[in-house]
Amino acid sequence: MKKLIQIELIKILNYIPFRILLGLYVLAIILGLVIYPLVDKQVPMISLTDLFRFPDVWPFLTWVTEPYNILLALIVIMITTNEFSNHTFKNQIIFGLSRKELISQKLLLILMLALLATLLLTATSVLLGISYSYKLTFRIALENSWMVASYFLSSLAYMSFGLLFALLIKNTALTILGFIGFRTFIEPVLFLVFREREIRWFFPMRANTRLTPLPNLIEIFQRKLDSDQPVDEASLEILPRGLPLWTNILLVAAYIATVVFLAYKIMDRKRLT
Amino acid sequence: MSTILKIHQLSKSYRTIKAINKLDIAIQSGQSYGLLGPNGSGKTTTLSIITGILRQDSGSFLWFDKTPYAGQRKKIGSLIESPHFYPYLSLEKNLRIICRIKNSGCDDIERVLTETKLIHRKNSKFRTLSLGMKQRLGIAAALLGDPEVLVLDEPTNGLDPEGIAEVRETVMEQVKKGKTLILASHILSEVEKICDHVAILKNGELIAKGPVRELLTDEEVVEISCSDNERLFDILKKGEIVKEISRENSIMIATLHKGRTIGEINRHAFENDLVIEHLVSRRRSLESQFLELVK
């Protein structure tokens, strides 16, 4: 495993598009820290800083940064399709890697990027939470912090789907087009087509975005305005629509497992010449 | 001598096209074995299968008397078709990746780059290399970890004469060191110069194999002329010594039957009162034999 990580690191750390995309990802999260408070001053009555307080900072930041995962998926797509266009998968086979190891390499990359993204998000959330919370206790700070695990799963799912698209299409431009097209056009259209049916909640991208849903903003602001009232536990319901939370988590985990299985199968049968 | 590679009844088709059909080859340790054949004869397919890139439809092969597995390929240095590396990485970093795959020390990088005369370009990006340099880097990668076997597919493809000479020199140095070489080529002179054994392929079929010297001398060809060429021509044509005879200006070219000797021609002519003026054994060139075989 160490060997595969070392090989992958040599490849990606010297790959300029990787540095650019990862830089953009980090920049997007850091810029958020500067931009949200600036936006906040423009909105009367309601303060966005309320969303930066524990425990609301967790669902808010995971929801805001969830689309950034597309950047991570693009990294995986570019790195994988490049292996096809440069014929370097073939080269690695010749020199002694197995087809299984080729996929394991990419899965380890996905795992590393997901961990990095989750750590960055956790650090940002903690920083904002500490800066904006009136009252700071461990219990409040850790409440809803499990959303970070949800975000981690969401990152894994995005990148796994990216890998699957890359293995199937092989061409960089077409894969990016296919992935983004599926995420922003095909699935949303299907979602509308099936709007009367429960099946729509089982769509992969939809299930994935539901892992980090929009926080219940009304509840949060209401809670602030009427702060003497005890917090209604039901108001913290983070998944007001769609599948129950744990079903959704299991569904996305099942999607990831299926994608990993398919990735191994595809690589096993792929002609690498 | 141990068997390095044993190919048994290997077959592979691409839809309706049979790329190789029931191929049987055994390569011993220390041999330099040439796979010779025109384009599309199945050389690259054969090498792609034995290096794990392709899967055969039927048949089998053993490396070092063992069923093939990925780790085994670390003992084999290969260059299949053209060299493929990460264009944005330096030569050193590209080779570092292969070192990691082979679990060999990275100190070896300096050695192979020196052997292939690329050490001065160590930090250049792969995409900046000339075709000849890229080919040499492919050979450098194959040499990493000091493998027991080298598998090279058309290593001089697309090179200028100088590049061809350089690559050939590098390969021959490895052969001299006692490495087993499997070389696929459609260039006859290349196989003739580098290899001691050869297998000739045509449309995926093995049509001849054996030591290069044996294949060359399997049928002896002689140049003859005498006081009466017309009479000798008729006598030899009717006799049992000569398989084929043709005229070439003032001399005749005769191919002897297997086991027949040049002395028998002389004796036969003498018994028929003919004086041989010119009788020279002409080693049949591999090229004419190759062309005849693949015709």
Side-chain angles (χ1 to χ4, degrees):
Chain A
M1 197 168 89
K2 190 181 157 199
K3 175 179 86 178
L4 297 180
I5 293 174
Q6 283 174 334
I7 292 170
E8 211 54 24
L9 283 178
I10 297 174
K11 288 182 213 168
I12 59 169
L13 293 179
N14 296 282
Y15 185 49
I16 290 170
F18 167 79
R19 293 186 196 171
I20 293 171
L21 285 172
L22 193 68
L24 277 176
Y25 180 85
V26 175
L27 201 69
I29 287 189
I30 293 171
L31 271 185
L33 297 179
V34 181
I35 290 169
Y36 304 142
L38 291 178
V39 172
D40 191 40
K41 287 175 187 164
Q42 308 298 316
V43 185
M45 289 295 287
I46 294 168
S47 171
L48 278 179
T49 53
D50 293 331
L51 299 170
F52 297 153
R53 291 186 190 116
F54 286 128
D56 300 316
V57 68
W58 300 110
F60 179 66
L61 270 200
T62 51
W63 171 71
V64 165
T65 56
E66 183 263 347
Y68 300 173
N69 281 331
I70 292 175
L71 289 172
L72 299 180
L74 292 186
I75 289 175
V76 173
I77 288 172
M78 290 174 84
I79 297 270
T80 310
T81 50
N82 271 345
E83 301 269 18
F84 285 113
S85 53
N86 295 328
H87 301 276
T88 38
F89 268 148
K90 173 180 151 183
N91 221 30
Q92 292 174 86
I93 291 272
I94 288 173
F95 288 110
L97 281 193
S98 65
R99 284 166 187 255
K100 235 178 223 176
E101 284 175 311
L102 292 183
I103 286 297
S104 302
Q105 242 180 21
K106 297 296 166 236
L107 293 177
L108 284 169
L109 169 71
I110 288 174
L111 203 63
M112 283 193 296
L113 288 176
L115 278 173
L116 183 78
T118 309
L119 277 175
L120 195 64
L121 179 87
T122 309
T124 313
S125 304
V126 168
L127 203 69
L128 285 173
I130 290 172
S131 311
Y132 290 97
S133 295
Y134 298 130
K135 196 176 160 190
L136 201 60
T137 66
F138 267 115
R139 199 189 71 84
I140 296 172
L142 293 177
E143 203 181 319
N144 286 345
S145 62
W146 60 268
M147 291 293 295
V148 170
S150 216
Y151 182 83
F152 174 71
L153 198 64
S154 166
S155 296
L156 281 183
Y158 264 105
M159 288 187 275
S160 305
F161 281 120
L163 176 67
L164 184 66
F165 272 75
L167 289 173
L168 289 171
I169 303 173
K170 298 206 299 194
N171 175 287
T172 310
L174 289 178
T175 308
I176 292 174
L177 205 68
F179 179 78
I180 294 180
F182 185 76
R183 161 77 169 72
T184 57
F185 180 71
I186 298 171
E187 217 198 69
V189 168
L190 286 173
F191 190 80
L192 283 176
V193 171
F194 291 97
R195 62 185 174 277
E196 300 299 325
R197 298 188 186 174
E198 277 303 295
I199 194 171
R200 71 193 193 278
W201 300 112
F202 289 86
F203 291 164
M205 293 296 179
R206 177 62 55 168
N208 201 16
T209 49
R210 298 298 301 159
L211 282 178
T212 53
L214 175 69
N216 194 340
L217 298 177
I218 296 168
E219 276 303 329
I220 293 167
F221 294 129
Q222 201 174 27
R223 196 171 355 120
K224 187 206 168 192
L225 295 170
D226 198 8
S227 57
D228 286 343
Q229 275 192 357
V231 176
D232 179 8
E233 288 296 320
S235 71
L236 290 174
E237 176 62 66
I238 301 168
L239 284 172
R241 289 182 302 149
L243 298 169
L245 176 68
W246 282 104
T247 313
N248 206 69
I249 287 175
L250 286 174
L251 180 65
V252 173
Y255 272 127
I256 294 172
T258 310
V259 166
V260 169
F261 174 77
L262 287 176
Y264 277 115
K265 282 283 160 205
I266 291 167
M267 183 53 89
D268 198 43
R269 286 164 193 207
K270 200 114 202 153
R271 207 176 139 191
L272 295 174
T273 50
Chain B
M1 215 189 270
S2 59
T3 305
I4 293 286
L5 174 68
K6 194 171 184 181
I7 297 176
H8 176 66
Q9 296 283 294
L10 203 68
S11 298
K12 172 81 185 171
S13 297
Y14 299 112
R15 293 188 182 158
T16 54
I17 300 160
K18 239 184 171 53
I20 48 169
N21 188 25
K22 295 182 178 171
L23 196 65
D24 280 302
I25 293 174
I27 299 171
Q28 309 299 321
S29 166
Q31 281 184 346
S32 47
Y33 206 103
L35 285 183
L36 190 60
N39 292 333
S41 59
K43 305 181 300 287
T44 301
T45 301
T46 307
L47 297 190
S48 297
I49 291 173
I50 62 170
T51 51
I53 305 168
L54 283 179
R55 297 235 166 87
Q56 69 268 37
D57 296 336
S58 62
S60 61
F61 63 96
L62 300 175
W63 275 112
F64 312 103
D65 280 326
K66 284 178 189 149
T67 313
Y69 59 93
Q72 210 174 39
R73 293 196 290 273
K74 289 169 189 167
K75 289 199 274 182
I76 304 161
S78 310
L79 170 62
I80 307 296
E81 292 178 307
S82 40
H84 300 298
F85 294 97
Y86 297 93
Y88 56 89
L89 288 183
S90 69
L91 273 58
E92 196 260 344
K93 282 187 175 132
N94 268 303
L95 293 182
R96 198 171 277 272
I97 289 175
I98 295 162
C99 282
R100 294 266 181 266
I101 295 173
K102 289 191 162 192
N103 293 329
S104 67
C106 289
D107 308 338
D108 218 19
I109 293 173
E110 299 273 328
R111 177 185 68 84
V112 296
L113 284 177
T114 308
E115 274 186 38
T116 50
K117 300 182 183 84
L118 284 170
I119 192 74
H120 64 293
R121 297 295 298 269
K122 183 179 155 185
N123 296 315
S124 304
K125 292 201 173 12
F126 176 70
R127 62 166 167 254
T128 65
L129 298 188
S130 68
L131 190 64
M133 285 175 172
K134 284 179 179 172
Q135 205 74 10
R136 292 212 307 268
L137 182 68
I139 294 175
L143 295 176
L144 273 177
D146 204 17
E148 289 176 50
V149 188
L150 283 178
V151 179
L152 305 177
D153 182 18
E154 312 269 10
T156 56
N157 228 2
L159 299 185
D160 57 18
E162 198 187 346
I164 291 174
E166 280 175 4
V167 167
R168 198 173 284 163
E169 191 191 331
T170 310
V171 174
M172 285 174 92
E173 271 171 28
Q174 299 306 316
V175 172
K176 276 184 207 157
K177 283 182 188 170
K179 286 196 196 308
T180 307
L181 171 73
I182 303 170
L183 173 83
S185 179
H186 63 272
I187 305 167
L188 298 155
S189 58
E190 192 165 272
V191 172
E192 214 172 359
K193 278 176 189 154
I194 300 174
C195 301
D196 50 33
H197 283 70
V198 65
I200 301 175
L201 300 176
K202 183 196 171 189
N203 296 335
E205 304 271 354
L206 177 70
I207 50 175
K209 66 175 173 182
V212 172
R213 183 161 284 276
E214 220 171 76
L215 273 186
L216 284 169
T217 55
D218 200 22
E219 288 172 336
E220 191 158 18
V221 178
V222 288
E223 289 177 7
I224 323 160
S225 74
C226 75
S227 49
D228 190 346
N229 272 353
E230 289 303 312
R231 224 179 113 214
L232 183 63
F233 184 86
D234 291 337
I235 291 167
L236 289 177
K237 206 169 181 184
K238 283 173 196 159
E240 289 175 351
I241 304 167
V242 167
K243 188 177 160 190
E244 265 176 36
I245 187 159
S246 61
R247 290 187 187 91
E248 209 173 84
N249 300 323
S250 60
I251 58 163
M252 290 174 286
I253 310 293
T255 306
L256 307 190
H257 275 298
K258 224 172 185 176
R260 296 295 189 161
T261 62
I262 200 166
E264 287 179 76
I265 292 185
N266 202 10
R267 200 163 46 242
H268 200 58
F270 182 74
E271 282 164 8
N272 286 280
D273 300 323
L274 288 168
V275 180
I276 299 281
E277 291 166 351
H278 177 84
L279 185 61
V280 176
S281 171
R282 186 200 259 187
R283 273 189 60 182
R284 196 172 179 194
S285 77
L286 187 59
E287 186 167 10
S288 62
Q289 193 152 341
F290 171 66
L291 289 173
E292 194 179 296
L293 283 166
V294 299
K295 219 177 337 189

